[in-house]
Amino acid sequence: MNHILDDLAGLLAWCAEHGQPGWRAEAISRWLLQRRVTSFTDMTDLPKGIRSALEDDFTIWSTKIAKHDTSMDGTEKLLLELSDSQRIECVLLREQDRRTVCISSQVGCAMGCVFCASGLDGVIRNLTTGEILEQLLRLALLLPETERISHIVVMGMGEPLANLDRLLPALARAQSADGLGISQRRITISTVGLPQAMDRLTSDNSGYQLAVSLHAADDTLRTRLVPVNSSIGVAEVLAAADRYWEASGRRLTFEYVLLGSVNDSPEHARKLVRLLGKRAALVNVIPYNPVMGLPFREPSKGAVEGFLDVLQSHGMNVQVRKRKGSRIDAACGQLRRLAAGSPVPPKAAEALQSFT
Ligand code: SAH
């Protein structure tokens, strides 16, 4: 059975084969993405024969909800089980009039950032376009009918730029008028910083917000924290980010996870200021969200304040990422591991000793 969300473009041909006009494909897409129906039967303005033909050929859902947590601040987190029993996480965040969803792009992650729960077992596979879209639908269904998803951040499990072929068609649907109608400027893709893929976005003239995970201002420390940096280097990452900025006009965001006593001193902050120089960038400072079994700590309150002071006194735009839904949070990727009963693999724990 085909997952309809994985080939919405193919619906046009399907409609032709079933003697239906082309606009039906658009109507079906609207039913799914805008009117949030959960079955073909509910597509009440389609001829009955077409509804049952759709039912014969397609399934709407490829995932099951394995866990659904809600926290006091309104944050909801879903652990979804995919058709091959792999699990991914996605989150709905409520903030004033914003309804932001955070979605995953891969099962696991190959980037190996040493403080992150998502990559502890490496990458298992890319998510399909349908699986990426389905996260949006599952989260949209948590909202009352009067509310819509306003923002998307691709900051869940995985490295989105390592799966652009499947991510971009999903985001195109998220934007389109017969999709979710969310403008590109409200969609943020977070990347570890893969220059080739960043250049692809640049030459596509894409207008997504790009957030680059820097976490350190020099190659020695960055390579320890973000191992893929060893073959790329901070200078290349920044050059690719600059090219994106020039082409898109979108303000760049640099993410910086503050790890207690690792990269959180005023000197680290000064290095970051020197590195970013006059760029009109936003620095998104993220106090570490501890991962069970990993030897990293949250930064102290004083360290966070000291770090911010340095950035702000140099006129940088800074935003501290508030932790949302911390009780259910279990840093991204952790929920999946906990549910699977697997804490830190011994090898990773060993490799990390140097940080303690
Ligand atoms: N692969 C993408 C998306 C990762 S998740 C990227 O590297 O940007 C989004 C951000 O959360 C990244 O900056 C990532 O480094 C950070 N992150 C991962 N684990 C974290 C944790 N336990 N606490 C705080 N931030 C974390």
Side-chain angles (χ1 to χ4, degrees):
M1 192 94 94
N2 293 319
H3 186 205
I4 195 160
L5 298 174
D6 203 36
D7 190 18
L8 286 173
L11 268 181
L12 212 53
W14 186 92
C15 284
E17 275 163 32
H18 289 77
Q20 293 297 308
W23 53 261
R24 279 259 195 260
E26 215 173 276
I28 296 167
S29 170
R30 275 186 210 277
W31 272 116
L32 289 167
L33 302 174
Q34 288 177 359
R35 302 170 83 173
R36 305 179 197 161
V37 292
T38 54
S39 76
F40 294 116
T41 331
D42 293 341
M43 299 184 173
T44 47
D45 63 359
L46 296 189
K48 278 217 169 101
I50 289 303
R51 282 186 254 167
S52 67
L54 282 168
E55 221 151 72
D56 290 343
D57 290 353
F58 297 107
T59 169
I60 298 180
W61 304 107
S62 71
T63 71
K64 286 190 291 221
I65 298 178
K67 202 162 184 280
H68 178 183
D69 285 324
T70 305
S71 88
M72 300 276 280
D73 62 13
T75 301
E76 295 185 58
K77 190 160 191 166
L78 297 178
L79 181 68
L80 297 181
E81 182 162 319
L82 310 175
S83 55
D84 58 358
S85 302
Q86 295 294 340
R87 290 172 166 202
I88 54 163
E89 295 168 29
C90 55
V91 184
L92 166 70
L93 300 122
R94 295 178 160 92
E95 239 173 346
Q96 283 112 34
D97 55 352
R98 284 187 178 209
R99 298 292 174 268
T100 304
V101 297
C102 176
I103 56 171
S104 294
S105 55
Q106 297 181 310
V107 182
C109 184
M111 300 300 117
C113 301
V114 293
F115 51 84
C116 175
S118 297
L120 287 173
D121 300 315
V123 66
I124 294 164
R125 68 172 174 86
N126 285 321
L127 293 183
T128 64
T129 296
E131 287 165 340
I132 295 169
L133 267 179
E134 189 164 327
Q135 294 173 70
L136 297 175
L137 288 200
R138 289 269 187 216
L139 293 164
L141 280 167
L142 303 177
L143 293 170
E145 254 176 52
T146 50
E147 294 181 8
R148 308 230 155 261
I149 294 174
S150 63
H151 294 75
I152 299 174
V153 295
V154 191
M155 290 189 184
M157 215 187 289
E159 169 50 43
L161 264 56
N163 190 19
L164 275 183
D165 287 343
R166 290 156 204 91
L167 176 67
L168 291 178
L171 294 183
R173 282 286 161 184
Q175 282 166 62
S176 77
D178 60 336
L180 296 171
I182 302 171
S183 80
Q184 279 196 320
R185 64 176 62 242
R186 291 175 169 213
I187 301 178
T188 302
I189 305 178
S190 177
T191 177
V192 74
L194 303 177
Q196 270 188 351
M198 289 161 79
D199 284 343
R200 175 171 163 194
L201 292 178
T202 302
S203 53
D204 278 2
N205 280 323
S206 113
Y208 298 110
Q209 306 283 356
L210 195 63
V212 180
S213 295
L214 213 47
H215 309 328
D218 65 77
D219 279 323
T220 311
L221 182 55
R222 189 166 195 266
T223 295
R224 285 173 75 197
L225 299 175
V226 181
V228 287
N229 187 65
S230 66
S231 58
I232 302 171
V234 171
E236 265 308 300
V237 174
L238 284 188
D242 289 342
R243 290 191 288 273
Y244 187 75
W245 171 76
E246 262 168 50
S248 69
R250 292 274 183 262
R251 179 170 71 172
L252 296 171
T253 298
F254 292 99
E255 292 162 284
Y256 194 105
V257 172
L258 277 186
L259 303 160
S261 306
V262 172
N263 65 351
D264 62 345
S265 72
E267 183 48 33
H268 289 119
R270 282 190 285 274
K271 266 196 179 169
L272 184 61
V273 169
R274 282 197 293 275
L275 179 74
L276 295 181
K278 294 205 183 339
R279 287 179 179 83
L282 174 74
V283 180
N284 196 341
V285 172
I286 316 169
Y288 185 54
N289 187 0
V291 174
M292 207 209 282
L294 293 188
F296 296 99
R297 294 194 304 269
E298 272 178 88
S300 68
K301 225 174 141 220
V304 178
E305 280 164 11
F307 198 88
L308 295 176
D309 268 359
V310 173
L311 300 187
Q312 279 160 344
S313 67
H314 286 84
M316 305 208 73
N317 293 309
V318 186
Q319 199 175 60
V320 183
R321 192 178 297 167
K322 283 172 277 164
R323 192 179 306 165
K324 286 270 173 181
S326 47
R327 292 182 64 204
I328 54 164
D329 204 352
C332 210
Q334 218 185 157
L335 192 61
R336 155 178 168 262
R337 297 185 57 77
L338 294 178
S342 48
V344 183
K347 244 181 131 184
E350 215 173 275
L352 293 166
Q353 288 308 315
S354 59
F355 287 97
T356 50

